[in-house]
Amino acid sequence: MKPLHNSYFDFTGKIALVTGGAGFLGTYFCRALADRGATVLIADTSIEAAQKLENEINLEASSTSKSFFLDVSDEANVTQVFETISKEYGHIDVLFNNAASKSKSLKAFLRILKNYSMDT
């Protein structure tokens, strides 16, 4: 089997937003993206954990990161974070939608927050 070319995983100059970025898996996703050159935007409900990861990435990786408080179940918060990112970065190249509900209720976890049209 032919190995994949490294350029497939080159995120240099790309803006990557990872929701749930300070969680167990999110931490690994953020570090991997940073190691491949992405500017990583770490969004999590635990701003302290997100800021800690931001500092670690900024010290260890050749790219930069920034943390944001983001509760994906709060539409106003999502709008505010995306407006901030748009002003600071202009766009997002990669969205890693990793946030998960921390509810113990399966019904709450599967609840539809909003229906979006797929029409363009």
Side-chain angles (χ1 to χ4, degrees):
M1 187 162 129
K2 187 177 177 181
L4 293 175
H5 191 274
N6 266 346
S7 66
Y8 292 138
F9 301 103
D10 182 6
F11 290 94
T12 303
K14 302 295 184 188
I15 308 297
L17 172 63
V18 181
T19 66
F24 177 72
L25 293 175
T27 298
Y28 290 100
F29 300 142
C30 288
R31 288 182 186 282
L33 287 162
D35 287 344
R36 292 317 225 154
T39 296
V40 181
L41 308 180
I42 307 160
D44 204 281
T45 56
S46 174
I47 191 62
E48 296 84 8
Q51 289 170 334
K52 181 179 184 286
L53 181 58
E54 172 190 351
N55 292 334
E56 291 170 1
I57 288 173
N58 289 341
L59 287 172
E60 299 166 6
S62 59
S63 60
T64 60
S65 66
K66 183 167 181 180
S67 55
F68 296 89
F69 172 83
L70 178 64
D71 179 351
V72 296
S73 69
D74 180 346
E75 187 175 351
N77 180 233
V78 172
T79 300
Q80 178 265 321
V81 169
F82 274 85
E83 286 174 356
T84 299
I85 290 170
S86 292
K87 287 178 188 170
E88 290 187 37
Y89 298 95
H91 66 280
I92 296 170
D93 297 298
V94 178
L95 172 61
F96 203 119
N97 199 9
N98 176 64
S101 170
K102 295 186 177 157
S103 172
K104 292 182 181 181
S105 164
L106 182 60
K107 185 176 180 181
F109 178 78
L110 296 173
R111 174 176 63 102
I112 295 172
L113 297 177
K114 185 169 185 175
N115 285 319
Y116 292 93
S117 171
M118 297 299 286
D119 297 333
T120 56

